[in-house]
Amino acid sequence: MADTMELRDIEVWDGNMAASQALRQVQVDVVAAYPITPSTPIVENYGSFEANGYVDGEFVMVESEHAAMSGCIGASAAGGRVATATSSQGFALMVETLYAASGMRLPIILNVVNRAIGAPLNVNGDHSDMYLGRDSGWIQFDAYCPQDAYDLNFIAFKVAEDHDVRLPAMVHQDGFMTSHTAQGVHTMTDKQGFAFVGEFQPMNDMLDLDHPVTHGVQTEEDWHFEHKARQHHALMTIAMSKIQEAFDAFEKYTGRKYNLVETYNVEDADAVVVCMGSSVETAMEVVDELRAKGMKVGVVGIRVFRPWPLEQLAEVLKNVKAIAALDRSSPHGTVGMLFNEIAGTMFNTGTKAVLTNYIYGLGGRDLTKAHLVSIFNDLKANADAGKLTTPLQQYIGLRGPKLSFF
Amino acid sequence: MLEIRWHSRAGQGAVTGAKGLADVVSTTGKHVQAFAFYGSAKRGAAMTAYNRIDDKIIMNHEKFMAPDFVLVIDPALVYVADFTANEKESTVYIITTHMTTAELVASQPKLEGKKVFTVDCIKISQETIGKAIPNTPMLGALMKVSGMYEMDFFKENMIRVLKKLPQKIIDANMIAIQRAYDEVK
């Protein structure tokens, strides 16, 4: 029996500590990990909790991220509650095994502390790794601050382990901007935290010797398509409703409310930015300041990135006149991912909104409040004119000559 | 909103100092933020750490800051780091040095006409803790200059923040905090 850790109601934790405390409180059975900056403290803290008797689990040290996720897959298929953490190049090395985890329907939780992918080598936060994971069949939650990183881990276990879902989930947070920023985090007691998720209920576990199963089989043209279609179906229908149920249950449990799409002052807004990560909160503060000057502006934050909340987002944006998609990842040869997703979301709705794209914050470059004010000024001009008054894709916060396309 | 920027060398404890301060302030019901800029982590490299303190929840995650207090915990950084970046007229500087405030200002003209306080956190930490870890004494100096909290309250909470350290080290830190509080000028 693991020891209980006494926590204050509000602990000053960075995003990494918040995530590792959640892993401790849900009593993860196996963490197989190969630490990488800036996610290192998550598994380091878990290792320390385990060594000091605060969790009844196994910490498996491996030789690479590929092996880390492979170890997680083995432990999950065997019938355990499993989690790990990674970032950047480590995430990239994990990619092959991510598809194995989701295809085998294993409810592993992966904390991804978002970081740029080199070259050039860079340890700071951007969304390149998060974007890389988006077709891998995992559920992807996005935290904006340490409190979210704590809460969304509980929600992720609740959803992923549901026997109707059985899909792995990532909890994303911004490298350094969230992972190494200490803020007040409202905690649950160990008992409360564990009770929200409950005892792990294995399904099709390989250690159930009375009911032998095979994981990771080969299917060719005969069955592969049906398996992938079923996985997509689960993400599109079951996962979406189970995530909403988990958000509702969590709100009842703690009073803290999460939504598939987070909105701030959007109802009557003419101009809205759509973004992810810590930028969402900074943009909220800018909206407060611009509202005080009479500008009708708002913020939309994507909380659940996969499955993509298409219907919810279309509803939220239906009356907006100018939208900016803020992408913190280099699209290398096209418009940003959020631009594409929003365009696809809105295309058949009859909207006349003007949609533009900003690339920002690569490799940890600061997104300042002044940058956001300039974006909202662009949007106001677009909303007033009812058409593009700026290039479609602009770089913001880039040194040197202004860069834009289309 | 109260904003503080620390100038330090990696390994001198600015991040621990910023997080410790955030922890103490949080117990009074205020909202806090503590973060740092890291490059590739090299001990001895110049780095900065930050605190934000407010009565309402802090949503701002920009790294840009026009600080109310600048805390310099390595004496050489006033000559090599851009420690006056984004300063305001009201910015208060607390600087670790063996010099008097007048001698320091004479040696670094950027400080002329500014609100400058000095204290030798390096010497204090060497004499009390036994190592040049100037972060906790700087907090003692900050308490004196800012009047943020009563010393007893602050020390009581710092004991909790440092609770994982051996008792001898905690006691030495308390002496260091008190000395910096008394010696800052």
Side-chain angles (χ1 to χ4, degrees):
Chain A
M1 186 64 192
D3 287 343
T4 300
M5 190 177 282
E6 296 299 329
L7 302 175
R8 289 178 292 155
D9 291 345
I10 298 175
E11 291 280 354
V12 179
W13 285 342
D14 61 24
N16 278 331
M17 179 54 93
S20 51
Q21 287 283 0
L23 298 189
R24 181 186 64 78
Q25 289 190 314
V26 304
Q27 292 289 310
V28 170
D29 296 314
V30 177
V31 169
Y34 192 78
I36 180 169
T37 303
S39 66
T40 299
I42 295 181
V43 294
E44 185 183 354
N45 293 336
Y46 176 88
S48 161
F49 297 147
E50 196 264 338
N52 288 304
Y54 288 109
V55 64
D56 285 330
E58 293 285 337
F59 187 91
V60 185
M61 287 185 277
V62 292
E63 77 280 12
S64 73
E65 286 85 357
H66 191 282
M69 185 47 67
S70 299
C72 288
I73 289 168
S76 184
R81 176 170 284 164
V82 178
T84 189
T86 196
S87 298
S88 182
Q89 324 286 140
F91 184 92
L93 187 55
M94 247 182 213
V95 166
E96 183 200 358
T97 52
L98 295 179
Y99 283 72
S102 63
M104 289 158 70
R105 307 292 295 266
L106 300 171
I108 299 160
I109 301 306
L110 174 60
N111 275 276
V112 184
V113 179
N114 298 327
R115 166 186 153 183
I117 299 182
L121 187 65
N122 178 302
V123 299
N124 283 288
D126 74 25
H127 294 165
S128 302
D129 43 10
M130 173 158 63
Y131 283 23
L132 178 60
R134 71 186 191 269
D135 285 353
S136 65
W138 287 54
I139 297 165
Q140 289 177 281
F141 294 98
D142 191 27
Y144 309 157
C145 63
Q147 181 75 61
D148 295 357
Y150 179 70
D151 293 345
L152 290 174
N153 264 283
F154 293 95
I155 289 164
F157 279 102
K158 182 99 171 162
V159 173
E161 291 176 358
D162 188 300
H163 282 192
D164 292 333
V165 177
R166 295 282 302 176
L167 285 166
M170 297 176 200
V171 178
H172 293 272
Q173 56 175 295
D174 283 353
F176 293 104
M177 288 159 282
T178 304
S179 70
H180 286 64
T181 296
Q183 291 188 252
V185 174
H186 292 267
T187 63
M188 291 186 271
T189 65
D190 285 4
K191 207 173 157 188
Q192 283 172 329
F194 184 79
F196 181 75
V197 177
E199 287 283 350
F200 182 70
Q201 304 295 335
M203 182 178 172
N204 299 332
D205 52 317
M206 298 189 82
L207 291 184
D208 180 0
L209 300 179
D210 295 331
H211 305 93
V213 290
T214 299
H215 280 265
V217 296
Q218 183 172 9
T219 63
E220 293 304 331
E221 180 236 359
D222 52 355
W223 280 109
H224 185 87
F225 199 5
E226 281 69 26
H227 275 285
K228 289 294 185 190
R230 204 168 156 182
Q231 197 181 324
H232 181 63
H233 180 264
L235 266 172
M236 294 293 280
T237 57
I238 304 162
M240 200 63 111
S241 59
K242 291 286 183 177
I243 292 167
Q244 188 57 58
E245 271 177 39
F247 283 165
D248 294 343
F250 195 78
E251 187 191 1
K252 277 208 193 91
Y253 206 67
T254 65
R256 294 192 290 279
K257 184 172 171 58
Y258 292 91
N259 301 287
L260 297 162
V261 175
E262 302 289 356
T263 58
Y264 190 68
N265 280 335
V266 173
E267 294 75 26
D268 66 336
D270 292 333
V272 162
V273 299
V274 183
C275 53
M276 297 197 284
S278 52
S279 309
V280 177
E281 294 198 339
T282 308
M284 288 177 181
E285 194 163 297
V286 172
V287 161
D288 281 344
E289 292 167 14
L290 294 180
R291 284 258 166 189
K293 293 177 183 166
M295 282 175 76
K296 288 165 83 177
V297 293
V299 184
V300 169
I302 305 300
R303 178 68 75 192
V304 179
F305 175 39
R306 284 293 183 275
W308 179 256
L310 187 139
E311 288 164 332
Q312 294 79 4
L313 187 62
E315 176 65 22
V316 159
L317 292 175
K318 67 181 176 191
N319 295 323
V320 177
K321 293 177 185 159
I323 305 166
L326 273 51
D327 282 288
R328 194 167 210 152
S329 174
S330 177
H332 287 318
T334 184
V335 289
M337 179 281 300
L338 275 179
F339 180 95
N340 268 332
E341 294 286 9
I342 295 165
T345 297
M346 304 304 289
F347 191 74
N348 293 316
T349 62
T351 180
K352 294 278 191 290
V354 182
L355 177 62
T356 46
N357 184 207
Y358 292 83
I359 306 300
Y360 78 98
L362 303 187
R365 180 62 52 84
D366 195 14
L367 177 71
T368 65
K369 287 162 72 174
H371 290 147
L372 285 157
V373 169
S374 77
I375 292 171
F376 278 117
N377 285 334
D378 283 358
L379 289 180
K380 185 175 185 315
N382 287 349
D384 291 348
K387 59 176 187 179
L388 276 176
T389 61
T390 63
L392 188 142
Q393 181 181 55
Q394 299 186 67
Y395 275 63
I396 196 133
L398 180 72
R399 289 200 304 265
K402 211 168 152 56
L403 186 64
S404 63
F405 299 97
F406 306 115
Chain B
M1 174 91 77
L2 181 76
E3 297 183 303
I4 300 171
R5 184 173 69 216
W6 298 65
H7 289 266
S8 158
R9 293 187 183 279
Q12 286 179 325
V15 177
T16 311
K19 286 187 174 176
L21 177 63
D23 202 319
V24 172
V25 174
S26 171
T27 60
T28 65
K30 286 188 187 292
H31 294 274
V32 294
Q33 216 181 46
F35 61 100
F37 285 1
Y38 304 77
S40 52
K42 290 189 289 283
R43 273 183 94 81
M47 51 97 56
T48 47
Y50 301 80
N51 284 110
R52 288 194 175 102
I53 298 169
D54 206 355
D55 292 327
K56 59 182 187 18
I57 191 159
I58 300 165
M59 306 295 272
N60 186 10
H61 294 278
E62 71 178 341
K63 299 178 198 177
F64 175 85
M65 179 183 285
D68 299 292
F69 287 91
V70 171
L71 312 179
V72 183
I73 66 173
D74 184 275
L77 289 175
V78 288
Y79 307 106
V80 294
D82 187 9
F83 72 104
T84 58
N86 312 314
E87 65 177 350
K88 304 188 279 194
E89 247 178 66
S90 56
T91 300
V92 175
Y93 293 87
I94 309 177
I95 294 169
T96 290
T97 176
H98 63 280
M99 290 185 268
T100 65
T101 303
E103 286 167 350
L104 177 72
V105 174
S107 77
Q108 175 46 283
K110 276 190 190 173
L111 287 170
E112 259 170 46
K114 309 283 166 62
K115 293 173 189 144
V116 184
F117 295 84
T118 53
V119 57
D120 196 345
C121 294
I122 297 280
K123 184 171 160 223
I124 291 172
S125 59
Q126 279 172 332
E127 289 177 359
T128 53
I129 305 162
K131 280 195 289 191
I133 304 289
N135 57 356
T136 46
M138 179 53 82
L139 288 173
L142 176 66
M143 288 306 123
K144 177 68 171 288
V145 173
S146 67
M148 203 179 281
Y149 297 116
E150 293 294 329
M151 207 47 184
D152 288 347
F153 170 84
F154 182 73
K155 284 206 278 194
E156 191 181 298
N157 275 281
M158 278 307 289
I159 290 170
R160 178 180 53 73
V161 171
L162 300 173
K163 66 176 184 287
K164 283 188 186 142
L165 298 174
Q167 191 59 46
K168 215 174 89 184
I169 304 289
I170 296 175
D171 294 344
N173 271 281
M174 292 309 120
I175 296 166
I177 288 170
Q178 185 66 51
R179 268 193 59 183
Y181 183 90
D182 294 336
E183 292 175 22
V184 66
K185 285 191 180 94

